Every structure is written in structure tokens, then in C-alpha cells.
Amino acid sequence: MLVRLQAEQERLLAALAEVADEDALYQLQVAYLGKKGSITALSKELGRVSPDERKRLGAELNRAKAAITEALEGRREALLAEARARDLARVEDLTMPPRRPPFGTLHPLTIARRALIQTFRRMGFDVAEGPHVEHANYNFDALNFQPDHPARDMQDTFGVRDRRGAGDLVLRTHTSPVQIRAMLQRTPPVRIIAPGTVFRCDDDATHSPMFHQIEGLYVDRGVTMADLKATMIQFTAAFFGRALDIRLRPSYFPFVEPGAELDMQCPFCGRARGQTCSVCKGAGWIELGGSGMVHPAVFEAVGVDPEVYTGWAFGFGIDRMAMLMYQIPDLRQMFDGDIRFLQSFPG
Amino acid sequence: MRISWQWLTSLLDLPEAARPSAEGLAAILTSVGLEVDGIERVGEGVQAIIVGEIRGKEPHPRADRLTVVALFDGAETLQVVCGAQNLPPVGGKVAFAPVGARLPNGMEIGAREVRGVASNGMICSETELDIGTDDDGILILPESWPAGARLCDQVPGIVDAILEIGVTPNRPDALGHVGVARDVAVKLQCGLRLPELRAPEVPTEPSLVTIDAPARCGRYLGFVVDGVEVGPSPLWMRVRLHRLGLRAINNCVDITNFVLFEQGQPLHAFDRRRLAEGRVVVRMAGASEPFDALDGSKHELSADDLVIADASIPQALAGVMGGARSMVEAGTSELLLEVAWFQPSGIRASARRHALSSDSSYRFERGVDHGEGLDRAALRALQLLGELAGGTCRAKAEGRGEVPARPRIVLRLARVHHLLGMPVGPAEALRILQGLGVEVEHAEPVTPWTCVAPSHRPDLQREVDLIEELMRFHGLDDLPAEATVPSAPADERPDPRADLRDRLTDALREVGLHELVAYAFTHPDKLRPFLGPGGEAAIVHLQNPLRVPLSVMRTHLIPDLLDALEVNVARHSHPLRLFQVGRVYAWRSEVGEAGAIDPRRAADLEVIDALLPEEREEAAILLHGGEAEDARAAVGALVHALARLGYQPRVEPFAADARVAFLHPGVQARIGVRVDDPSAPVAWVGYAGELHPDALVGRELGGRGRAYVGVIDLGKLPPRPTPIASDRPRFPATSRDLSLEIPLGIAASAVVDALALAAAGLCADVTGDRPRLAGDGISPGIEVVEEYRGQGVAEGRRALLLRLHYRAEERTLTDAEVQELHQAIVASACGGLSRPDAEVRVR
Ligand SMILES: [Zn+2]
């Protein structure tokens, strides 16, 4: 028996040297030490020998078992070390084209609109919307554009073909009808912005038949033009990160009186160091849009007493803001869907 | 409107040295709301041009059409070769560019030889000097001008700067130099220097002018001027008109144009001998009455057109254009001069109706001065006709109709402060108002004042209008920036619809799609494949599209995505993954009653909204050209996005009679969402699939035909559910695979439903901690792993591999009990799915 034990032990050591992986090692362990393993089988024979013999053989057997276990463990550790060394010897070139999930993009108009909305919401403005196909009563009349007055020609208007007497419908030429809708739905104070799509019958490099505006309206007791100026300065501070000067120039929009053009100190001067600013052409000012104090006729049209309440309104182009922010040269690029353009705004 | 700096500054009562430069003038104009869009320097180079005298003329020895001129430049006689056929006789004066001069058009004059004959300088035409459009020969100057004198000294104002100003439609008074000068004078605090005028003492002949339409013609002054000699205007006037963009015609017509640009008042001169009975009748046109305009166009008049007729036929479309028959031309000797005020909106309607627009109609439709300005314009024209055309006024008449009353306006200076947030003092206010011609009654330092607006400012109607005037001239430079505190907080909750739109947009971007924004209008043909029966009638058409490709409002977003696809295919940008969130437009089947809407009041929202088309908000996606793109990817993108918003998405086949016609009949599915547990009703919000080949007809897709699309109707999305933390089961689930062989007609969703239904039935009545499907409220615990078609599976059938997950609440399951339940569920589900013509088999 001792001889067989010896032989098994030697056979194992020889086999161990051949073992190349964990699986083979496990099978070897089972073959010797498992329930049906050869050493286990030998130990079962112990019951058949004399007690003295059993004690001596038992000790031998235990010693052999321990030696085998140790050999197995040793081999296991060696295998692990080998595997670890092999693993650490791997080389991968991570400068190969990275595998990355494709990312989508938001349209620059969406990015600009959201940034504007977020800014004005922080300043306490609600967001209001309105339909794109609008009744002339809201797009013009209620905004103090008199019927048959040339002021109606200030905005090249798309008419909508009449359908069963729907009346005088147009594609809204500005977001200002939302002023009317907001004032009909709410009682002052009203503090809203109205971002949205507008349409003008005009198409060239700087005009698109569809573009986007953001309108602001603030109506309350004691609202002044000085407040408009302050609010716009606050806006620039929140939007551009620093307060920019605001300049008002007298102008005319039928729904405000007095009316003024709104200029903003150019936030981009100095973007291209040492060169004349390409955005404002060195003027230092950017024409933002129109503004003014809500015309009393507009208040009267919506049933607000102009002796009690005053208000201001402003409006400017979201597209223009996006073009300034992203240096987009041609407005029409915004709308043709060229993926090379769309992809450039990871948002 | 073009403003001559020379002309304008000559109207200011300022010493020469104090006159503003062109740039200074531009700054002033812009500051008072007459925005200057540009300054054009004109006449540079004309300083070098001198008056030359013809001393002799010889034919060129070698060229028939050339003349060798002996030209006296005031100092010496030079030899100059000239090609003009209109050289004046000896003693005549011409504009001469000596050697070294540089013409306004950039041409350098050098000594040169013309076909062998030396030429020292050039005799110039109007065009070469850029002072006119007549290039039919050289410019001939008055013989009285001294040889050698500089042309610019003979024609003051020939070197000028032209300011292009944008005049807003409320400012008809600023459509003439005098009106603009009035603003500048108020700003500079100086007076105006206007031509001195004298009214002719002539008899009134009431029969000259008859007003039959007093509502449309407020005033009509008629003057008979005879002895007129029609001929060219003097050079200074021709230059001035040229600078303003007008073509010189003859002295009479030029005078009316000149007065229009000076006083802002349009005039018309009729050849009186061509007027039947030599008189005018201001009347409405007869329906279909013919009219030939002086520009050669022919018109059929409407009964709403106001005309200036003679005793029989219309001789002018009032305020818009004169007639061809009575226009002033060579040979005219007696004029009837018209100076009138017409009702503005009537003029506008006529000009639009006949697509005739003129400098006159432009001013009349905005409202010219019906008061003193009208009289001044008349006198100025008579003065110039006398000086420049030899005309003498013989008789006059005035017809009167209705003119607007000059409004009396109460002005409170406190209100100025209240509105602007800055004060304007009484002295300054008074100076501004009076400078503008506003009469201020009882101008005490303490307001209110009663103000009467001048007749040349129809825009001054109420107190705010006067406040605006004070603001214009006081300026906004010292406007403080002072925020008021809003008296009530705004509603801070975002609009849930806008929130949904934003989140859906973000989710679609997250699945790797690029956002498109396209025009909301499109070509009707592009919509056609997408319209169902009766869909045409719902299309919203534009009345005046820019062009046919943009003539209707879109009813679907997919055509926009296909447009973008074509653009990108043409530019070789592939593959394409796009989405768009936007509105689609369609008439409602029920249209509200327009009724009478009062233009002075905002109509009720309900009334207005019922008249408008429906604007639904949709999200649409398009996948094309990539290896990974297929219809399941399109479904996946939408399902992912919906799940991202917190919904439980649900995909099912359409019923055969409810399929989307523009999608491939075999590759489409409807998409829905649930907000609660799996048993809650599904809101069907969209669809996805492969685009039907018919929907791609006419699209240039470079041979790569298949496009995968999906649409979600945002309006159908239920409010977003609030997320709830899910259970964390304590014991692991056990899974069993199931391979079924089923007909293609049975959707995977139907198999899952049948299994879930079977499981629900089998587990419903069981008590105790029995095994059940490991659903979690979002998924039923049944996973569709893959499908297989082809070898071993009959045509028209497929194998579907599913994995069912089982779990108990408080213990680990045994194999035996899982196996028992699994088999029971499968048997029950197969029974439920099988039809006589559609066998379901376990593989
Ligand atoms: Zn700049």
C-alpha cells in the first residue's frame, strides 16, 4: 500500500508539471482527493488492515495527502502568477479609434431658446405660447396696427387662404399676439416671455421666411422705461455673465409708445484678440431688437386701464442670438438640415 | 428716403460754420428716431471740372465721328478730341475735365492721342460726372457761365452727402426735407430757413375744381398757370433730383418732384388744354371705367377708386398716378396744378388694387399735411414755375371735403416721469413741442397743458404721443436703469406641455439623433403621400407664398426629414439619424363663426381660437443608411425616449384595417405608453416602421431606398408619472427558456401577452409563497430573446426564443416547482394563441 501511495504521489507530481490551467488542476485534485479519487480510495482500504498498521499507514496517508494538497496549492499559485504575468504583458493601443456610442445633438436654436428661457425664468418671467396661424385681430388690430395703415406693411405678412369664412388669418409675423393672449387670460401684474416661431414673406441671406423671436412683456403699476433698461441690463448679466450696457434709441412700433430700438454693448468684442470685432464691426454695439412702453390702445383693446397700469415690451430674434453665439454666417444654414451643421452643436 | 446733406443743412437757420457735418447730421437723425442706414458721398471729383468754351471745331482727319475741338479753359486754348454729336456751336460752354482730373466714376484724365491727334482733357457727359442719367451726348452748360469757372461753384450742392434714412410709417412729415429739417432744428435749437413765398393775387374760379367725394378728398387746390415753356430744368435742379434717385424729365414735372422732396407734398400738373372744359372733378370712378396711366399701364377702375376727372373722363387715379392723356410734355403751355389732401386709406387701397405705387401714393397713404403745409407747397411750386418755366398763375380754386380734426391733447408732465422714469422739465418740454409746431394753450409752468397737434403730424393723437416727442428730443442717453420690484411673483411651475417637449427632445438626442429645425411650410406634393382620405381638405394654404415649394403648412413632419435626407444624400453625408419636434397644421372639421370682430378690441380667445387651424405638436425621427439602422432601431429610439420620460412603452402591431398607409404594410407597429401597472389602459401615442416605397417616389436617395421613421403625437402623451422606487426582491429569480414555433402573423407582443395572461390566471388563486413570474410592474418577467427563420422552420413561420423569469417572495425556488408552473403557463398560453389556421408549437 505504501508503495502504491508512493507511486500515486509520484504520478501526481509528474501530472502537476503538465497542468496548464485551473480546470486541469481541479480535475487532478478530484482524481486524487475527490470522493472517487485514488488517495481517497487508498484511505478506504485502511479499514482492512491491523490497528497498528492502520496507525502507521494512516499517518503516512495523511502526510501524503498534505504533500499532495501542498503541491496542488503550489501549482495553483504558480498558475495564478503565470496568468497574472501573462495578463500584465498584454498591450492594447488605446490611440486606435475609440469605440464610443454616437451622441445626438440639439439644434442651436433649441440651445439658444432654452438658455434664454432659463435666464428669464430666473428673473421671474412666465413662459407663454400661442398659435402660429393667428387671427389678424390679434396679430395686428389689437396691437394698434390700424386697418389699411401702412404700418401693416412694416411686416411682410403671409396670409392664410380663407376657409369657410374663418376670417382674416395670417401666419403670425411676430410673437406680439401672445401679449394680447396673455393679457386676456391674466390680470396684471403680467410678467411673461413668449418665445416662438414667426413668419415673414421675405427670403435672402439675412432674412428667412421663418425665424424665431422672444418677446417680453411686463405690466404692473409703476412700470417705467427705466425699468426696461434695468431689466435688460440684468438679462445681459445673467445671460452673458457680465452686465452689458443697454442703449435705447427712439423708434416706432405701433403697439408701443414711446418705442425704442434696443442696442446691447457688444459682448463679443475681444473674442478675436487684436482684431476688429467681426460681430459688431467695431461699433461696440449690437442691435438687439425693438422695445417700448405698451401703447394705451393695446391696453384698451384688452380691457386694462392705462391710467392705472403701465408696461413695457421688448422683442428680439432668437436666431440672431444663436448666430452671434455660434458664429453662424448664414441664417439659411439653420434650416436645411445639413448634418455637418447640426452635428456641430453638442449642446 | 434719401436726404441731401446740402439741401437739408441749407434749410437750417445756422451760420455756415455751425452746420453739422454729414456724420453729425446722421447722428442727430438717428437719435431722434430717423435712423440713418448709410451715408453716400457724391460728387467727389467734380471739383476738378471747369467750364470750357468752344473756340473752334474741325473734323478729325481720320475718323468721321470725332471732332477736334479748340477749347478755352479760361487761361489757354487746348486741343481736345470729342466724340459727341451734340457739340454746341463756337461760343458754347461745356463741362471740361482737364488733364490730371479724376472723374467721379474713377476715370483718370491724361493727355493722350486719339487716332493720331493729341487730346488734352475730356469734354464730359452727365453720366461721366454722375450728375444725371443722360449719356446721349455731352453736358451743355449755359453760355453765360464764365470759361474757367469751377462747375462746383456754378452749381452749389453738386458735392454732397446723401443720407439714407428709414422713415417709420407714422412719420409722413419726414418724407420731405423740410419735415426732417424741423426735427433737426428742434434738436439743435435753431430755427428753419424756408423759402420766402408770396401768394399770387389772382381771381378765384370756383368752376375749376368740383369735389363730388368729400369723404375721400379733404382739400383740393387748383391753379391755372399759363405761358409755360416746357424744357429742361436748370442743372442745379437736375443734379438735386438725380442725387435723390429721380430722373429729370422736364422743368414742370421736375418742379413737382422737387417740391415733393422739399415739402413732402405730392403735386400733379395737368396739361389743361387736354382737360375737357379745362376743369377737374374729384369723384369716385365708375365701375370698370378705363384709365390709362402715364407710365403706360392700363387699368379698369373700381367704384372704390377716387379719380381726378375732367368734365368727362378720369385724368388721374387720385394720389397715385396721373393719366397719359393730360401729362405735361413738350408743347404744353397751360397747366392745371393740383395740390391736394386725400384720405389715406383710400389711396392705399387704390394703389394696392392696381399694383401702382408712386412717391405720391407713398406719402398720401401715410397722410400729408392738410393745413399750412399744403398751401406752402402750392406757393412754392407756383414760385418755381414762374422762375424756371416762365409760367404765370391766372386763376385759382379750392375745393373742400372732410379733413381730420386737429386733436386737442391734455399733457401732464408728471405722466412723462411716470412712464419714462425720468423727468423732462417744463421749459424744455415747451421748447420741443413748440418747435414741432404743437400749439400749447396756457403754457404755465404747471401742467396739464392743452396741446393742439399740427396738421403735419397725424401721428400725434394722444398724450403718450407727445410724451414720445419729448423723449425723442430730450434723448435717452440719461435714462436711468432703475428696476421696479415686481408686485407679484410669477408662476414658477413650468408648463407641463413645454416640459414634456423639452424632455422628449433631450431623450431623442440621447439616443444619438440630431435635431432638425425645418420650415413649417412645404410643397403640397410632398405632403400627398402622407394624407389620408379627406386629408387634402385639411391642408392650410398660404395666400401669398414666396414660391410653390413653400406654399402650404405641413401636415406631417416626415416630409421635412426626407427633405433633409435628400440634402445630405446629395452632399454625401451618411448615415443619417435625425429628429424634429414641431407643430403640424390642419383645419379642424368644425370651423367657428367669425361673425363681426371689432378691430378696435381684442376678440374673445374662444372665438378666435375656434377659427384657427389645429396645431398639433409632434416628434418625428428618421434613420437612414447606417448598418445598424432598421425599423426595430426606429422603434427602439422611440421606446427608449418614452421610457426615459418615465412611461411604460408598449409596442403592438396595428390591426389590419388600421395600418399606416405610408409605412411598409409588413414593417410597422403602433407605440403606446402606460403610466401605471401593466394592466392600465394603453395610450397610443405614435407609430414607427419602414417608410412605404410609394412615399419615397421622387426623392433622390442615391439608390439607398429604405428609410425608417417614427412619430409621437405629444398631445396624446398622458401627464408624466412620478417615479416610484421599485421593490428589491430578496431572493434570486430562476429562468426557463421557451422556444416556440409560430406563424409570422403572431406578433412577439401577442406571445408575451398570452404568457402573461396565462401566468396571471394560474397564479391568481394560489395562496402562500408560491412561484410566480418575476415581473416588476414595468416588465412582466418575460423576455423575448431572439427569433429564427429559415432552415428547419417552415416558410411563413418562425421560431421565437423567450425567457421566463420566476421568483418567490421569501425563499429560493426548487427546480421542480418552477418546472411545473412553467409547463402549465406554456400549455395554457399555446392553447390561447393557437387558431385552426395558425398552429403554435413548442420546439
Ligand atoms: Zn464687438
Side-chain angles (χ1 to χ4, degrees):
Chain A
M1 191 168 162
L2 263 179
V3 176
R4 273 160 54 207
L5 187 62
Q6 196 96 37
E8 285 298 323
Q9 216 172 323
E10 271 161 28
R11 205 156 59 81
L12 171 86
L13 288 174
L16 261 187
E18 304 290 306
V19 164
D21 59 41
E22 190 91 11
D23 268 2
L25 191 68
Y26 180 71
Q27 272 159 29
L28 211 57
Q29 184 172 356
V30 171
Y32 288 85
L33 300 178
K35 276 183 190 169
K36 293 171 183 166
S38 53
I39 305 297
T40 316
L42 281 174
S43 62
K44 282 177 185 160
E45 289 177 24
L46 280 181
R48 280 182 270 143
V49 297
S50 64
D52 286 356
E53 193 82 337
R54 192 186 302 162
K55 193 175 175 189
R56 194 177 55 87
L57 281 177
E60 278 298 319
L61 207 58
N62 280 339
R63 195 188 43 75
K65 260 189 199 168
I68 289 171
T69 306
E70 192 184 340
L72 283 167
E73 279 311 309
R75 185 65 193 144
R76 176 169 287 125
E77 272 168 33
L79 279 178
L80 281 175
E82 273 170 40
R84 181 179 146 83
R86 258 200 318 276
D87 186 47
L88 289 177
R90 264 185 315 115
V91 173
E92 274 186 43
D93 179 1
L94 298 191
T95 69
M96 291 290 285
R99 281 187 245 288
R100 59 176 217 199
F103 65 76
T105 49
L106 294 181
H107 196 278
L109 282 171
T110 301
I111 303 172
R113 190 189 62 236
R114 286 184 176 184
L116 291 168
I117 290 175
Q118 204 180 29
T119 305
F120 282 111
R121 286 187 64 85
R122 281 205 302 267
M123 294 167 63
F125 287 82
D126 275 344
V127 181
E129 296 185 356
H132 296 169
V133 181
E134 184 59 279
H135 199 282
N137 183 267
Y138 284 7
N139 195 76
F140 291 125
D141 300 284
L143 288 165
N144 194 37
F145 286 79
Q146 308 290 332
D148 275 323
H149 191 272
R152 292 217 178 188
D153 302 339
M154 288 170 82
Q155 302 173 345
D156 297 316
T157 309
F158 283 115
V160 168
R161 214 187 280 169
D162 192 20
R163 181 176 182 255
R164 284 191 271 151
D168 192 3
L169 302 190
V170 298
L171 298 190
R172 67 176 182 190
T173 53
H174 46 186
T175 42
S176 308
V178 180
Q179 288 186 21
I180 301 300
R181 291 174 170 272
M183 285 192 278
L184 287 174
Q185 281 171 318
R186 307 160 188 233
T187 47
V190 174
R191 192 169 166 90
I192 58 156
I193 50 161
T197 311
V198 301
F199 305 88
R200 304 251 177 112
C201 202
D202 207 349
D203 197 7
D204 59 44
T206 52
H207 296 92
S208 158
M210 183 184 100
F211 58 103
H212 300 80
Q213 277 187 340
I214 187 163
E215 182 103 359
L217 173 72
Y218 178 33
V219 177
D220 202 345
R221 293 169 199 266
V223 174
T224 65
M225 201 131 180
D227 177 79
L228 168 66
K229 186 173 177 181
T231 306
M232 293 317 291
I233 292 173
Q234 269 175 29
F235 157 73
T236 61
F239 193 77
F240 294 102
R242 66 193 165 104
L244 300 168
D245 203 3
I246 289 288
R247 182 173 75 176
L248 295 167
R249 280 183 291 121
S251 189
Y252 169 73
F253 308 96
F255 44 102
V256 287
E257 186 83 10
E261 297 276 358
L262 199 58
D263 295 347
M264 169 182 76
Q265 188 195 339
C266 176
F268 306 104
C269 282
R271 186 158 69 178
R273 283 177 204 290
Q275 290 170 5
T276 307
C277 173
S278 64
V279 178
C280 66
K281 311 276 181 289
W285 293 94
I286 290 179
E287 286 186 25
L288 201 56
S291 66
M293 302 303 292
V294 178
H295 198 291
V298 174
F299 279 142
E300 284 156 8
V302 296
V304 171
D305 185 350
E307 280 296 307
V308 177
Y309 292 101
T310 51
W312 51 245
F314 69 82
F316 60 84
I318 300 176
D319 313 63
R320 205 174 123 68
M321 194 59 87
M323 289 173 79
L324 294 175
M325 284 161 67
Y326 301 116
Q327 307 184 43
I328 299 167
D330 184 340
L331 180 56
R332 286 174 296 195
Q333 284 186 1
M334 296 260 206
F335 305 113
D336 74 354
D338 191 314
I339 191 71
R340 294 164 299 182
F341 173 80
L342 299 178
Q343 274 172 342
S344 30
F345 307 97
Chain B
M1 146 124 181
R2 288 163 74 85
I3 290 287
S4 154
W5 166 69
Q6 289 274 13
W7 196 354
L8 194 106
T9 48
S10 75
L11 295 168
L12 299 173
D13 192 10
L14 284 175
E16 189 93 21
R19 290 184 184 178
S21 66
E23 286 74 18
L25 182 62
I28 291 167
L29 292 174
T30 297
S31 80
V32 297
L34 298 169
E35 189 172 358
V36 175
D37 297 327
I39 302 177
E40 185 192 342
R41 305 256 159 216
V42 291
E44 294 298 334
V46 171
Q47 295 96 327
I49 308 300
I50 56 174
V51 178
E53 182 183 331
I54 309 285
R55 286 274 169 95
K57 298 199 288 187
E58 297 282 331
H60 191 287
R62 277 189 261 160
D64 290 346
R65 300 187 59 81
L66 297 180
T67 311
V68 181
V69 179
L71 185 130
F72 178 63
D73 69 359
E76 56 183 324
T77 303
L78 302 166
Q79 175 174 291
V80 179
V81 178
C82 181
Q85 301 307 298
N86 67 334
L87 272 170
V90 169
K93 301 286 169 55
V94 293
F96 177 64
V99 171
R102 186 188 170 92
L103 301 186
N105 64 12
M107 184 197 264
E108 301 259 11
I109 306 299
R112 59 190 187 118
E113 276 199 0
V114 181
R115 306 195 68 179
V117 177
S119 180
N120 303 295
M122 184 171 125
I123 301 173
C124 302
S125 71
E126 277 182 18
T127 4
E128 282 155 347
L129 298 177
D130 189 28
I131 55 171
T133 51
D134 184 5
D135 53 5
D136 194 19
I138 54 160
L139 172 63
I140 295 166
L141 303 177
E143 286 193 19
S144 58
W145 291 5
R150 295 203 305 166
L151 189 64
C152 60
D153 295 333
Q154 298 299 311
V155 187
I158 199 167
V159 179
D160 201 350
I162 303 299
L163 285 65
E164 184 69 49
I165 63 171
V167 179
T168 53
N170 59 325
R171 291 294 307 278
D173 67 299
L175 294 171
H177 281 68
V178 169
V180 175
R182 192 181 293 115
D183 271 11
V184 177
V186 172
K187 187 74 185 180
L188 292 177
Q189 305 191 32
C190 68
L192 284 177
R193 186 188 294 158
L194 300 178
E196 278 188 31
L197 300 173
R198 228 164 26 85
E201 289 172 15
V202 293
T204 297
E205 274 183 35
S207 65
L208 274 176
V209 175
T210 311
I211 295 186
D212 279 354
R216 296 282 292 272
C217 176
R219 288 185 73 193
Y220 194 107
L221 309 182
F223 299 88
V224 175
V225 181
D226 70 7
V228 166
E229 278 178 50
V230 174
S233 302
L235 188 56
W236 66 264
M237 180 178 277
R238 298 206 311 268
V239 169
R240 189 140 278 179
L241 294 176
H242 175 71
R243 295 292 188 229
L244 300 178
L246 291 174
R247 201 163 56 87
I249 295 174
N250 60 47
N251 48 6
C252 295
V253 175
D254 292 352
I255 285 167
T256 61
N257 283 328
F258 181 86
V259 174
L260 179 144
F261 276 90
E262 184 181 76
Q263 307 284 332
Q265 168 67 46
L267 313 171
H268 186 67
F270 296 95
D271 182 339
R272 187 167 178 236
R273 303 234 164 117
R274 304 272 185 82
L275 298 178
E277 299 178 14
R279 65 191 183 94
V280 292
V281 181
V282 185
R283 62 164 168 88
M284 303 312 294
S288 304
E289 203 171 1
F291 171 66
D292 295 349
L294 55 74
D295 69 352
S297 59
K298 293 182 183 300
H299 302 269
E300 191 172 293
L301 299 176
S302 130
D304 280 336
D305 288 324
L306 184 71
V307 295
I308 313 302
D310 58 15
S312 56
I313 60 164
Q315 295 287 356
L317 183 56
V320 181
M321 198 167 282
R325 222 184 111 73
S326 55
M327 70 190 228
V328 174
E329 54 197 354
T332 299
S333 63
E334 186 177 358
L335 306 180
L336 192 145
L337 179 70
E338 160 195 303
V339 188
W341 186 91
F342 300 113
Q343 197 271 328
S345 62
I347 299 301
R348 180 172 138 94
S350 282
R352 299 194 129 202
R353 189 176 302 126
H354 300 287
L356 278 178
S357 178
S358 62
D359 285 329
S360 297
S361 67
Y362 191 81
R363 283 160 179 78
F364 280 125
E365 68 181 33
R366 282 159 173 74
V368 299
D369 191 350
H370 51 76
E372 200 189 333
L374 195 73
D375 301 298
R376 288 190 60 82
L379 299 186
R380 177 67 163 147
L382 292 174
Q383 178 189 51
L384 289 169
L385 282 169
E387 286 173 10
L388 307 179
T392 310
C393 184
R394 295 291 179 207
K396 64 179 182 185
E398 175 170 4
R400 281 189 175 267
E402 298 159 21
V403 293
R406 291 169 59 189
R408 298 170 69 81
I409 306 166
V410 174
L411 173 67
R412 301 158 291 175
L413 280 186
R415 188 79 186 162
V416 179
H417 197 165
H418 184 71
L419 208 57
L420 300 181
M422 68 177 177
V424 176
E428 184 184 10
L430 199 60
R431 177 181 66 72
I432 292 169
L433 293 175
Q434 289 177 337
L436 291 170
V438 176
E439 288 165 27
V440 181
E441 295 174 5
H442 313 295
E444 313 289 332
V446 179
T447 56
W449 292 334
T450 300
C451 303
V452 183
S455 53
H456 59 263
R457 289 295 302 271
D459 60 317
L460 303 184
Q461 293 290 329
R462 50 197 297 173
E463 189 181 30
V464 272
D465 300 321
L466 296 181
I467 292 173
E468 177 170 68
E469 295 307 297
L470 300 181
M471 179 197 85
R472 283 204 302 132
F473 292 99
H474 178 84
L476 283 165
D477 293 343
D478 55 353
L479 180 70
E482 278 173 3
T484 54
V485 178
S487 68
D491 182 1
E492 285 292 323
R493 283 167 303 132
D495 168 18
R497 301 314 313 175
D499 182 52
L500 261 185
R501 179 203 309 142
D502 281 353
R503 286 173 186 272
L504 188 64
T505 302
D506 283 335
L508 289 170
R509 176 189 58 163
E510 203 177 80
V511 296
L513 301 170
H514 301 282
E515 190 187 10
L516 167 76
V517 174
Y519 289 154
F521 18 63
T522 185
H523 194 295
D525 287 350
K526 290 180 176 172
L527 297 179
R528 210 146 282 140
F530 298 88
L531 297 172
E536 295 270 349
I539 294 182
V540 177
H541 288 261
L542 299 186
Q543 226 163 39
N544 52 333
L546 277 171
R547 43 187 184 271
V548 177
L550 303 176
S551 62
V552 298
M553 301 306 284
R554 65 187 174 204
T555 55
H556 292 77
L557 296 180
I558 296 174
D560 289 353
L561 294 165
L562 292 176
D563 285 348
L565 176 58
E566 277 186 293
V567 163
N568 284 287
V569 166
R571 299 175 190 175
H572 312 290
S573 313
H574 258 89
L576 206 62
R577 297 165 60 81
L578 291 178
F579 78 101
Q580 177 168 229
V581 179
R583 295 190 195 178
V584 295
Y585 310 80
W587 290 112
R588 298 168 213 271
S589 42
E590 300 289 317
V591 179
E593 279 298 316
I597 290 177
D598 180 355
R600 288 159 308 172
R601 286 197 50 76
D604 287 343
L605 270 173
E606 295 74 32
V607 173
I608 293 287
D609 285 347
L611 297 171
L612 304 179
E614 186 185 17
E615 298 182 14
R616 282 185 306 113
E617 209 164 15
E618 288 189 346
I621 68 169
L622 172 119
L623 308 178
H624 182 265
E627 281 168 22
E629 316 302 7
D630 59 15
R632 275 178 68 191
V635 172
L638 293 187
V639 161
H640 174 95
L642 291 169
R644 196 71 184 68
L645 266 66
Y647 298 113
Q648 298 160 29
R650 169 91 192 150
V651 184
E652 268 186 24
F654 277 107
D657 57 352
R659 285 195 188 117
V660 179
F662 52 84
L663 294 180
H664 187 297
V667 191
Q668 56 173 281
R670 59 175 175 164
I671 295 174
V673 296
R674 288 189 178 108
V675 288
D676 295 313
D677 57 275
S679 59
V682 176
W684 295 105
V685 299
Y687 50 82
E690 179 178 325
L691 214 50
H692 195 289
D694 291 351
L696 291 171
V697 169
R699 298 286 189 172
E700 294 289 336
L701 299 182
R704 285 181 273 197
R706 289 187 187 172
Y708 309 98
V709 296
V711 173
I712 291 173
D713 182 339
L714 271 72
K716 290 186 178 154
L717 284 172
R720 239 160 50 80
T722 309
I724 297 166
S726 61
D727 293 340
R728 293 184 294 177
R730 294 174 53 216
F731 290 86
T734 309
S735 66
R736 288 288 180 280
D737 284 359
L738 167 64
S739 181
L740 290 179
E741 195 197 297
I742 56 172
L744 290 178
I746 296 182
S749 64
V751 174
V752 171
D753 285 351
L755 289 164
L757 186 69
L762 287 163
C763 300
D765 301 331
V766 182
T767 52
D769 193 7
R770 305 290 301 163
R772 51 190 69 234
L773 275 176
D776 59 2
I778 292 176
S779 90
I782 304 166
E783 207 183 318
V784 180
V785 180
E786 62 182 14
E787 68 160 7
Y788 171 77
R789 304 181 200 192
Q791 214 174 7
V793 180
E795 180 76 22
R797 295 174 66 81
R798 61 175 172 161
L800 197 65
L801 179 65
L802 300 113
R803 189 162 296 147
L804 286 75
H805 301 271
Y806 297 95
R807 167 185 295 136
E809 296 293 318
E810 296 294 335
R811 64 193 179 87
T812 305
L813 294 175
T814 67
D815 284 353
E817 61 186 346
V818 170
Q819 196 58 30
E820 188 191 342
L821 175 60
H822 181 68
Q823 276 166 354
I825 289 175
V826 170
S828 165
C830 289
L833 282 170
S834 280
R835 298 276 175 280
D837 57 339
E839 190 201 358
V840 172
R841 253 192 5 240
V842 178
R843 267 159 63 96

